[in-house]
Amino acid sequence: MLTLYFSPGSCSLASLIALEESGLPFDARRVNFAEGEQRSEAFLKINPKGRVPALVTEQGVITETPAILAYIAAMAPAAKLAPLDDPFEFASLQSFNNYICSTVHVNHAHGRRAIRWADDPAAHEAMKAKVPQTMRDSFTLIEEKLFAGPWVMGERYSVADPYLFVMTDWLPSDSVDPTEFPKAAEHHARMLERPAVQRALAREKASLR
Ligand SMILES: N[C@@H](CCC(=O)N[C@@H](CS)C(=O)NCC(=O)O)C(=O)O
């Protein structure tokens, strides 16, 4: 049985949606950020990075969203969540997901976690002030060059879609209006209609009760 450690509203939602799409049996456990549980001794034994998502498998723990998403797709080939049999297409999917992980998510983190990169409060403010621009730059690239449509990779839905969904979901909190990016905004609305997305959001909500 797989166990996903997650926190509502965080990037772990992409992995939660992918698990819901996959049909794999899994358990989901909330890590309570408000209480700093991600830095607790017990959680650091699961993920020494002190972050979610972390996916516990029978072989060990997987961290980093692109790795978790690729693993879920590979473990559930019938769900067709990745082009597993085409090396170029698979690398293209990984390229998109790694861009989100290394750049888009990091842009966003500069607004909330600037303390990771500097000690000077003025530097924190400067990093925060830059977030709308860096998010806009990334979404312009996605909208104009990376998003094939109707799904991220084209005709076939893949694990890139929940990942983009989460980033689009964050835009208002980064002071960016998602409607500036019509393809991403329409994709976000279409994602909300998927039963797997609704189940993942319901799980997040239930975990807060
Ligand atoms: N590169 C990692 C980033 C994971 C990450 O930064 N997760 C955030 C939530 S979106 C987190 O756990 N933050 C807790 C903290 O910084 O204390 C991934 O893509 O999985």
Side-chain angles (χ1 to χ4, degrees):
M1 171 78 103
L2 299 170
T3 301
L4 181 75
Y5 285 83
F6 74 100
S7 175
S10 83
C11 62
S12 56
L13 177 57
S15 300
L16 197 52
I17 294 171
L19 280 168
E20 291 285 3
E21 299 276 10
S22 74
L24 295 167
F26 72 99
D27 189 20
R29 293 201 197 145
R30 177 185 167 210
V31 178
N32 190 333
F33 278 12
E35 290 178 5
E37 193 187 346
Q38 72 271 36
R39 290 182 292 276
S40 67
E41 204 181 316
F43 185 69
L44 290 174
K45 279 192 189 140
I46 295 160
N47 182 7
K49 296 171 183 167
R51 308 270 181 95
V52 296
L55 185 68
V56 179
T57 78
E58 281 174 8
Q59 287 167 276
V61 180
I62 305 173
T63 60
E64 300 301 327
T65 301
I68 293 174
L69 293 176
Y71 176 82
I72 293 168
M75 291 298 284
K80 296 190 187 307
L81 295 173
L84 298 168
D85 50 1
D86 183 327
F88 181 81
E89 287 296 320
F90 187 70
S92 302
L93 167 69
Q94 292 290 75
S95 172
F96 183 86
N97 283 350
N98 279 286
Y99 177 66
I100 301 249
C101 185
S102 64
T103 303
V104 189
H105 186 171
V106 176
N107 293 342
H108 172 83
H110 277 74
R112 286 168 170 63
R113 309 275 189 191
I115 201 162
R116 282 182 196 155
W117 293 284
D119 296 320
D120 179 0
H124 298 162
E125 287 313 308
M127 279 188 247
K128 234 186 232 178
K130 192 85 177 165
V131 173
Q133 186 198 321
T134 56
M135 288 301 269
R136 265 195 194 96
D137 289 348
S138 289
F139 267 79
T140 301
L141 182 79
I142 291 170
E143 186 88 0
E144 291 177 3
K145 304 282 181 206
L146 308 184
F147 184 87
W151 302 110
V152 171
M153 300 302 297
E155 292 301 324
R156 270 170 60 173
Y157 180 87
S158 74
V159 287
D161 291 292
Y163 210 5
L164 175 62
F165 170 78
V166 174
M167 297 300 119
T168 310
D169 210 52
W170 286 351
L171 285 178
S173 70
D174 294 328
S175 304
V176 178
D177 180 352
T179 62
E180 286 177 37
F181 304 98
K183 290 181 196 166
E186 192 275 333
H187 173 265
H188 185 271
R190 209 154 15 89
M191 285 293 288
L192 281 171
E193 289 168 10
R194 292 181 75 85
V197 175
Q198 291 168 9
R199 287 197 301 275
L201 291 170
R203 262 190 206 259
E204 282 198 338
K205 206 169 168 192
S207 77
L208 292 167
R209 281 188 210 121

